[in-house]
Amino acid sequence: MTTLDERPATASGQPATASAPGKPASAARPAPTTMTMAGAINAGLRAAMERDDKTLLMGEDIGALGGVFRVTDGLHKDFGDDRVMDTPLAESGIVGTAIGMAMRGYRPVIEIQFDGFIFPAYDQITTQLAKMHYRSGGAIQLPVVIRVPFAGGIGAVEHHSESPEALFAHTAGLRIVSPATPQDAFDMIQQAIASPDPVMFFEPKARYWDKGEVDPTRVKAQLDAASGASTGTAEMSRARVAREGSDVTVVAYGPTVRLALQAAQVAADDGTDVEVIDLRSISPLDSDTVVTSARKTGRVVVVHEAPTSFGSGAELSSRVHEQAFFHLHAPVLRVGGFSTPYPGAVFEHDYLPSLDRVLDAVDKVMAH
Amino acid sequence: MTTLDERPATASGQPATASAPGKPASAARPAPTTMTMAGAINAGLRAAMERDDKTLLMGEDIGALGGVFRVTDGLHKDFGDDRVMDTPLAESGIVGTAIGMAMRGYRPVIEIQFDGFIFPAYDQITTQLAKMHYRSGGAIQLPVVIRVPFAGGIGAVEHHSESPEALFAHTAGLRIVSPATPQDAFDMIQQAIASPDPVMFFEPKARYWDKGEVDPTRVKAQLDAASGASTGTAEMSRARVAREGSDVTVVAYGPTVRLALQAAQVAADDGTDVEVIDLRSISPLDSDTVVTSARKTGRVVVVHEAPTSFGSGAELSSRVHEQAFFHLHAPVLRVGGFSTPYPGAVFEHDYLPSLDRVLDAVDKVMAH
Amino acid sequence: MSAGGPLSTDGLVQLLTADGQRTAHEQFDPYADHLTADDLRAMWRDMTLVRAFDKEATSLQRQGELGLWVQSWGQEGAQIGSGHALNGQDFVFPSYREHGVALTRGVDLVEVLRIFRGLQHGAWTPAEHHFHLYTLVIGSHALHATGYAMAMAKDGLVASGDPAKDGAVVAYFGDGATSQGDVAEALTFASVYDAPVVFFVQNNQYAISESATRQSRVPIADRGKGVGIPSVRVDGNDVIASHAVTRWALEHARSGQGPVLIEAFTYRMGAHTTSDDPTRYRPKAEEQLWAERDPIARLEAYLTSTGELSDDFRTEVEAEAKALGERTRTTVRAWTKPDTLGMFDHVYAEPHASVEAERAWFDRYQRSFADQEATR
Amino acid sequence: MSAGGPLSTDGLVQLLTADGQRTAHEQFDPYADHLTADDLRAMWRDMTLVRAFDKEATSLQRQGELGLWVQSWGQEGAQIGSGHALNGQDFVFPSYREHGVALTRGVDLVEVLRIFRGLQHGAWTPAEHHFHLYTLVIGSHALHATGYAMAMAKDGLVASGDPAKDGAVVAYFGDGATSQGDVAEALTFASVYDAPVVFFVQNNQYAISESATRQSRVPIADRGKGVGIPSVRVDGNDVIASHAVTRWALEHARSGQGPVLIEAFTYRMGAHTTSDDPTRYRPKAEEQLWAERDPIARLEAYLTSTGELSDDFRTEVEAEAKALGERTRTTVRAWTKPDTLGMFDHVYAEPHASVEAERAWFDRYQRSFADQEATR
Ligand SMILES: Cc1ncc(C[n+]2csc(CCOP(=O)(O)OP(=O)(O)O)c2C)c(N)n1
Ligand SMILES: Cc1ncc(C[n+]2csc(CCOP(=O)(O)OP(=O)(O)O)c2C)c(N)n1
Ligand SMILES: [Mg+2]
Ligand SMILES: [Mg+2]
């Protein structure tokens, strides 16, 4: 049985940086390095905090403990109470006070402990954080980032495996992104923090310990760009073609990107050439990239962990049909969680999109 | 300028029932009667309270005031404090305590004052109300109804005109319905209360003062059915073909049904025969009725006030494409609110789906 | 009024009696003694102006020029008294009825009406006035206020000892709001982080139709005790006491001693909003009773008794009020609907593909009508 | 421990000293005097059993048989003491650590582990035990408890004077939970509606890694003062005092006098859960200190001093504990994955088209594999 205990002792997955307490290590990092996704987010947070001392972290147990996933490991030690704030146990309070701090120029980065615990903050996120810029006619920017370890596959108890991204994407004013690789995690967390807009940053928790190469120079160069105009919002909003193919397009994001790539591999053995698109951003949805691919392949499957019904795949499917209808050989198919609450852990691998279910959908669209 | 003040002094829109205080009038009503939608809901609530003394109302200002829309007008006078409960100003508290009361066999019917104020209760609705039956393996039923006056068009200030239904439809365990006529309002509120499942009941507030015939006998007979098996859940979950047609299907619910019918009328003059489907239920979505119609007409337009992006139209569009792709002459088009917060009242008629925008979409699908 | 309940008058700080006599108060006199006749006249003027404005807005609503209006009538004492205790560096988070406070922050009252005519959701630049936008979701802004205060402390704008620098935040909300979880969380965060914030509750005895007894069995001020925040009950219809108590609270907060809760006991003389009908839930006699405790009349009685309210000054203020009313009328009536494409502005600070695409579509769509017109 | 803060021991009701001496307490002795030696032995037995079970579950988790385990270790005094004060008609809303209370409600502890093996989200029938399911979203159930209590009052099950009828609700939650808006709203509703509910806060000094000082500057019991709910602080490691105070509170609530808040000051001896690592945030010395205040040892010392704990009884309970451990092991290991289609059950009480369609699809899909297998 998979458990939460699989994590290593520190998030960085590398020897702790030798920096004097209170004195953040100035980042002369070798490029590229192998990092876990959790380590990449940790490094990205550190880089953002070094870049701008208005950046601060808020959340439950993110201080001495380093967060239940250790993503903030070491940051409290190096940046202190004032910038790594263990908060009272109240999610609405965290988001609400972050809004107030952002109004004074701070860039709060909130950690919600688990996906299922974001809902007490739903009102603050939906009616305040999302709408303040509009309400104020642009006078108030709220560069708040809300990090949410999300999705399942870790054998957890209720409320610890949910995928609520579509519940936020319907609300204008929020940006919703989800990285699928350590490189994107490292880059996108910094772009999210630099963005003047509120960003919901969904971290696929089952992928926290996957390793990958991280080149730290790219995002640094982009954010250093003298113009000051490059906040990274645009970069993190673009989908990525994770694998080129010509027969069918499989669209995924966050936790399901690896699955889509696996499916492409298996399909290739069967002679089907799958293009995989990693959306990266759910709001805005980079439908241009997907539609371009759909026009090429004529077949699209979208895969996410959230329940299919009223999920983000519905929006994607609608847009592809609207914009590429006459290029399609088959309807866009969706592979997602079922229309039930997230079930007990023994069922989760039946509940979640699996390699077989993705391949089944690929076969179905290929049948036309 | 349209304002909230347009309402008449009482919801029933008819002379106050002559019933002794504390002694609810036993319903020997003439059938059918002309009622406003607000009056029909009022009468439906009264009938449900007479039917089952475990039915009680909770909300802000629903007592002496009769609710800000007067939908509970007269009920406090007749049923007293114990069954018409003015609550503290705390939506999470209202839903959370309703859950506790439902656990003891009560059937609380909650009024949320306006759509935009439901979000403080979002956690209780999503993680508790929706999931308790599943969590308990069926041991606990929570027959709680949440009435939400929703949607726009009344010239109100911020937070008073929103359409959040899709934000609930993605969560399994909730039923989501919305009546479009006084008859349905009267029937469906009673079916919702009789249902053993939690129901979100979205009332199109701009239609509160529209009048229509109400035959009170149908739902009464259905709920009286000796078997006890007929709770009405199935009835309220079915879409209704509001107008038959052969060229194009326009799907709507709640506030946009009238608009769809108007569009059908205008289109008829241009020689286009529009079928109008009133969904009535968003969860479950009666896709069978819609798909049957889509296979017949080959063209579908869905109209709702909520922002198009990630709205319920996306789910409907996806399902129609999935299930009727090879019957379609054109992609399903969506006409909805824009991906902005609900704007200032002076803009709302530009923001909301209009007759012109619906006809524009009908023309587009007819072009194929 | 149940003894000890939220409608009791126990322990209310009062410096002016209902008939306008100055009474002594050991703790709070020091916070009122600095007030000159000019200061008091300024308060009287502000109360008078905001009431005149309020009346004008009400009649504009009746004439269909506004969608809604929310009166501050009856609460001018609490609002002007506290507003006059603020410094420039303090920051206010109002709810939606604080027109009196808005005035003291230099907001042009007429501009407030843009919201109620449906032109926009916010009608001034908060940073300019140190006065945040109105918040309509009850209690939400208590958390924003607390966060803002936490940030002021981080920025060293508290307890520096430099009076030109030290500031605090005031969050205004009602008796009903105190039931919201957000307000409770705000009290907790404020207390735990020692935030320089004053929670100013106007207990006007009603949340729309519901009596404050629906929100609490004990005085609203007791909410502070739950988290160890010092609290005071003040007669909100006594502008001098409201001022003194707020001044004390602000000094407490600015000097780094943490949050304070003030309950200003007052009365909403009008309807909840122009959409409301108080005859359904409260007796006329009660309104009458409170009319006799009018905050403006009270200060007027005092200033008259001390001979500090000259006829000239009255005439001047009356003229000012009349001019404000006229300007309000003319300005509001002249407001036209702005360019529709503006509804797509400011959803995000940086471009968002969905919004851009919809704006472009709508622009084309609108133009297509214009083109049709043109070709006809 | 800051004076007067949430870690202070000021005002704790104690009936047994740390070394197991019975002390007098004017107010609460009457609520403990009925306890016979049998009663005390029963409490000692229950504490011993739940601790043995707790250890077994922990090792099952280490062996990979459970996904997670949440220990009640150290909190047995508060839980068994209060649990023994309950009548059959009372109703309990636990959070997720109340295994001790579960035991007193007749829940088979082994069944609790179904949740932690991921077989199901709830593992007993609440109505059967008058013990609601565990709630994992912090604080949510405080409102359910309040609503349930309001309904009991509506049903005439309060203040009838008939002891076989009158009941109350107890809601258990932690120090961390008291910061949640839902808990504040529950206190408000309970107070306003005079609901027969006892809020039993186990202040175990930590919310995962955060000290209770992160939640409050004042004792957690003060939360009651904000809404006028009487509150008591009790030594939670003193099972007799925990019992007496709860008994008093239940009588208060059952007799229609409204809600009560109890803060049981205790210590979480183990990690937050098996996923936690307390070495990151608290000193071993602190754990050591609290080991010396162990609730079981304390009662044991008392019963030994009075000669009421015979060797036979000890042996008997030891055997019982061992048997429970064994049964736990064997039962848990024998649990297999139920039929997968079961995951579609009970989403709704009546059929829902989406769920039905997906279940049917999944059934066909699963069978297609079986068919493939068969044809191979
Ligand atoms: C979260 C929320 N729920 C409901 C409402 C509707 N509403 C507007 S004002 C009001 C009463 C507020 O009462 P109080 O806090 O005492 O302030 P007052 O209006 O008396 O100044 C209500 C219920 C709202 N705006 N927000
Ligand atoms: C709303 C919510 N936020 C966060 C969590 C994650 N979480 C689980 S237990 C816990 C700490 C609870 O502390 P406390 O209330 O003191 O109870 P204890 O665990 O100490 O018994 C947290 C933060 C949660 N379960 N629910
Ligand atoms: Mg009020
Ligand atoms: Mg704790």
Side-chain angles (χ1 to χ4, degrees), chain A residues 60-61 89 91 113 117 120, chain D residues 75 96-97 136-138 173-177 180 204 206-208 268 272:
Chain A
E60 296 158 9
D61 307 294
L89 209 177
E91 287 76 9
Q113 202 160 81
F117 305 137
Chain D
Q75 301 178 212
Y96 44 76
R97 200 187 290 287
L136 305 191
V137 182
I138 299 293
F173 47 84
D175 43 294
Q180 282 287 1
N204 63 7
Y206 287 92
I208 309 187
R268 191 195 77 207
H272 170 69

Side-chain angles (χ1 to χ4, degrees), chain A residues 31-364:
Chain A
T33 328
T34 299
M35 286 186 186
T36 61
M37 183 183 285
I41 299 170
N42 179 275
L45 290 171
R46 179 180 290 277
M49 294 177 82
E50 286 169 358
R51 172 178 299 279
D52 180 357
D53 62 13
K54 291 286 195 176
T55 300
L56 47 81
L57 313 187
M58 300 174 75
E60 296 158 9
D61 307 294
I62 63 166
L65 185 62
V68 296
F69 290 105
R70 310 293 184 266
V71 172
T72 56
D73 190 51
L75 299 175
H76 179 258
K77 188 168 115 303
D78 292 344
F79 294 95
D81 272 350
D82 233 39
R83 297 190 58 197
V84 181
M85 300 168 66
D86 267 342
T87 63
L89 209 177
E91 287 76 9
S92 190
I94 298 170
V95 175
T97 54
I99 289 171
M101 287 194 274
M103 285 180 59
R104 267 202 74 78
Y106 286 87
R107 309 184 92 82
V109 183
I110 291 165
E111 174 172 303
I112 297 291
Q113 202 160 81
F114 281 91
D115 33 64
F117 305 137
I118 195 164
F119 302 115
Y122 198 81
D123 179 54
Q124 283 289 343
I125 295 171
T126 304
T127 67
Q128 302 302 320
L129 184 61
K131 294 186 170 57
M132 196 77 83
H133 190 259
Y134 193 72
R135 184 180 301 148
S136 69
I140 299 175
Q141 294 187 349
L142 296 180
V144 174
V145 175
I146 302 183
R147 295 180 39 239
V148 189
F150 87 125
I154 62 160
V157 291
E158 202 186 352
H159 310 295
H160 291 69
S161 310
E162 296 178 16
S163 297
E165 64 277 13
L167 299 174
F168 295 94
H170 189 42
T171 297
L174 302 172
R175 294 179 182 273
I176 325 268
V177 300
S178 182
T181 67
Q183 178 73 62
D184 270 352
F186 180 82
D187 293 355
M188 288 166 70
I189 189 66
Q190 294 181 65
Q191 290 159 345
I193 294 169
S195 171
D197 288 315
V199 181
M200 312 273 307
F201 194 85
F202 284 96
E203 302 172 1
K205 66 170 90 78
R207 302 274 71 81
Y208 267 153
W209 315 113
D210 288 4
K211 288 186 181 161
E213 293 278 276
V214 174
D215 173 357
T217 57
R218 219 176 51 186
V219 67
K220 185 167 186 309
Q222 178 235 316
L223 293 177
D224 284 349
S227 73
S230 177
T231 64
T233 302
E235 332 290 322
M236 73 180 181
S237 305
R238 265 195 288 276
R240 173 177 76 92
V241 177
R243 175 192 168 119
E244 293 202 11
S246 54
D247 294 332
V248 47
T249 306
V250 175
V251 186
Y253 55 88
T256 54
V257 171
R258 192 177 71 162
L259 180 66
L261 287 168
Q262 285 168 349
Q265 196 66 48
V266 177
D269 297 343
D270 283 356
T272 305
D273 191 16
V274 174
E275 175 145 311
V276 174
I277 295 181
D278 172 4
L279 279 181
R280 300 165 87 248
S281 176
I282 294 130
S283 177
L285 198 59
D286 182 359
S287 29
D288 287 354
T289 299
V290 180
V291 166
T292 303
S293 177
R295 288 190 176 146
K296 178 174 77 175
T297 62
R299 298 175 186 90
V300 179
V301 171
V302 49
V303 188
H304 56 58
E305 289 199 8
T308 308
S309 286
F310 298 90
S312 50
E315 180 60 28
L316 197 92
S317 164
S318 305
R319 291 202 193 176
V320 171
H321 287 116
E322 282 158 8
Q323 297 172 43
F325 186 76
F326 297 103
H327 297 79
L328 293 178
H329 304 307
V332 177
L333 292 189
R334 297 176 289 165
V335 181
F338 294 110
S339 298
T340 71
Y342 200 91
V346 297
F347 298 112
E348 70 179 336
H349 294 294
D350 303 301
Y351 172 86
L352 292 174
S354 61
L355 188 57
D356 279 329
R357 279 174 60 203
V358 175
L359 290 169
D360 184 62
V362 167
D363 285 352
K364 280 211 184 91

